[in-house]
Amino acid sequence: MNRKLLRGEHVVSTWRDITLTSHRVWQSAREGSSAALTSIPVAAVQWVRLGRHHLPWLLWLAAVTAVLGIAALEYDRTITYGLFGVALLLMLLYGTSRRLVLEIGAGTGTIVVQVVGEGASVDAAVEFLYQVEDRRLVHGPDADARSGASASGA
């Protein structure tokens, strides 16, 4: 989806499928044959969140399965190999369940990006959020009051 910029608007930064401009934050998401565009004015941004989501119980279950495999080694090697295979599968599932989640919220609307695995750079996501916060503070609801106070104080 190509998005036309407003008069005087310019792109500040882009991270994954989120674009920050001088006026808005927008996300162009594609899933199969459908596409969605979410746009939030920078002044309306109320909060940002960056976190990791994972399923640690998969790792614990893999450890228990591996211990059971070691215990079964004395009785039957076929069972041991099967349990080690299950433990490896559980570790693989744990690795693919790790997600970096970035959210930008305005009222009831949110922009959410989930990046699977370790391919996501946390530093790049944090830098993008700093830029969103900086823009939000510059264009926030009390930006006019701050600029008016500094002009009257001069």
Side-chain angles (χ1 to χ4, degrees), residues 25-135:
V25 179
W26 82 65
Q27 177 186 32
S28 177
R30 290 188 174 274
E31 211 170 291
S33 63
S34 63
L37 180 69
T38 305
S39 178
I40 298 175
V42 171
V45 172
Q46 293 176 338
W47 52 271
V48 295
R49 177 181 173 271
L50 180 67
R52 284 217 180 265
H53 173 74
H54 60 101
L55 303 171
W57 58 270
L58 285 172
L59 204 54
W60 286 106
L61 194 57
V64 168
T65 305
V67 168
L68 289 174
I70 291 170
L73 184 61
E74 192 173 302
Y75 300 108
D76 188 5
R77 288 194 185 273
T78 307
I79 293 174
T80 300
Y81 294 146
L83 288 173
F84 282 157
V86 170
L88 286 172
L89 179 65
L90 289 170
M91 289 190 308
L92 178 69
L93 287 174
Y94 171 76
T96 59
S97 75
R98 293 175 51 98
R99 299 178 190 280
L100 180 66
V101 181
L102 181 135
E103 296 180 54
I104 300 172
T108 59
T110 59
I111 292 177
V112 178
V113 176
Q114 294 189 23
V115 183
V116 177
E118 296 298 320
S121 169
V122 175
D123 295 335
V126 169
E127 180 61 31
F128 183 81
L129 288 182
Y130 282 151
Q131 290 177 352
V132 170
E133 286 288 308
D134 186 46
R135 281 282 164 197

